[in-house]
């Protein structure tokens, strides 16, 4: 077993100790099938904004018509309608998202601008399905925070055309920009509800 495999196994074991379900697929092409296994036809499903989900084809699955999809990315939505979807998400059967980092200690580390994603991960939807490439596995929360500051936040700020310093410099400077995307931090560790959070680790790099 290689170093990469040992790290994945260690991370999965830690997630399970924290009462999250842990799954592994080798490639992004296998993600859709795994997500489909964890959803039920007709479920009301919502999602967090995620490059990972798009790259793995999960967004196409959610828009396939098999689910009652609360689609925050549907064309023509007003900011008020998107806000309504954020609130309706709390009553969803499932919430599908990625994560900024997964630690080898079995923690999910996330930083949000509006906090709708980490709010839904924390409470509300009956099931939370997290898809993460192995590029997001880190040693601990200190490394996770560093990853957000130097990788996730700058790249997402660039993707979203946010007027923030990190979009230009490539590294967080703890700014006070009105468009700052790293306003609220959440760390999910031991879970009171066993199996509510399900983590699918993918054996290749996905997203930021």
């Amino acid at each position: 077993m290689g170093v990469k495999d040992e790290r994945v196994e260690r991370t999965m074991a830690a997630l399970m100790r924290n009462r999250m379900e842990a799954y592994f697929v080798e490639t992004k092409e296998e993600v859709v099938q795994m997500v489909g296994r964890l959803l039920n036809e007709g479920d009301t499903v919502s999602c967090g904004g995620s490059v990972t989900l798009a790259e793995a084809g999960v967004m196409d699955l959610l828009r396939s018509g098999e689910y009652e999809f609360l689609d925050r990315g549907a064309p023509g939505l007003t900011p008020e309608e998107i806000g309504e979807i954020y609130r309706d998400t709390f009553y969803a059967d499932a919430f599908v998202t990625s994560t900024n980092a997964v630690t080898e200690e079995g923690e999910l580390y996330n930083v949000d601008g509006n906090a709708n994603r980490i709010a839904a991960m924390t409470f509300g939807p009956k099931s939370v399905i997290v898809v993460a490439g192995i590029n997001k596995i880190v040693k601990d929360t200190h490394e996770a925070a560093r990853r957000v500051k130097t990788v996730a936040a700058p790249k997402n700020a660039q993707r979203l055309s946010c007027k923030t310093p990190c979009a230009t410099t490539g590294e967080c400077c703890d700014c006070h920009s009105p468009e700052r995307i790293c306003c609220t931090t959440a760390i999910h560790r031991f879970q009171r509800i066993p199996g509510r959070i399900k983590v699918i680790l993918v054996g290749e790099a996905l997203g930021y």
Side-chain angles (χ1 to χ4, degrees), residues 89-95 119-128 193 196:
T89 291
F90 281 92
Y91 300 96
D93 296 302
F95 182 71
M121 292 176 73
T122 303
F123 182 82
K126 298 172 186 175
S127 175
V128 175
I193 304 176
R196 175 180 175 268

Side-chain angles (χ1 to χ4, degrees), residues 61-175:
L61 171 68
L62 299 183
R63 291 174 174 141
S64 66
E66 295 183 33
Y67 314 101
E68 185 65 36
F69 182 38
L70 305 177
D71 191 354
R72 52 178 276 177
L77 291 179
T78 65
E80 291 75 19
E81 289 170 329
I82 293 172
E84 197 64 32
I85 287 174
Y86 289 166
R87 287 183 285 276
D88 289 344
T89 291
F90 281 92
Y91 300 96
D93 296 302
F95 182 71
V96 188
T97 186
S98 189
T99 183
N100 294 136
V102 185
T103 76
E104 293 181 41
E105 298 169 359
E107 301 153 319
L108 303 179
Y109 186 98
N110 287 283
V111 182
D112 270 6
N114 293 321
N116 59 289
R117 178 177 61 116
I118 58 178
M121 292 176 73
T122 303
F123 182 82
K126 298 172 186 175
S127 175
V128 175
I129 301 169
V130 178
V131 180
I134 55 170
N135 54 311
K136 295 188 176 183
I137 297 178
V138 298
K139 180 180 179 181
D140 52 31
T141 56
H142 296 291
E143 188 176 326
R146 183 64 182 164
R147 185 181 190 283
V148 169
K149 289 178 177 292
T150 61
V151 180
K155 286 186 176 295
N156 278 303
Q158 291 166 1
R159 174 177 66 90
L160 298 170
S161 300
C162 295
K163 295 179 177 64
T164 58
C166 70
T168 301
T169 66
E171 185 164 352
C172 174
C173 66
D174 195 24
C175 73

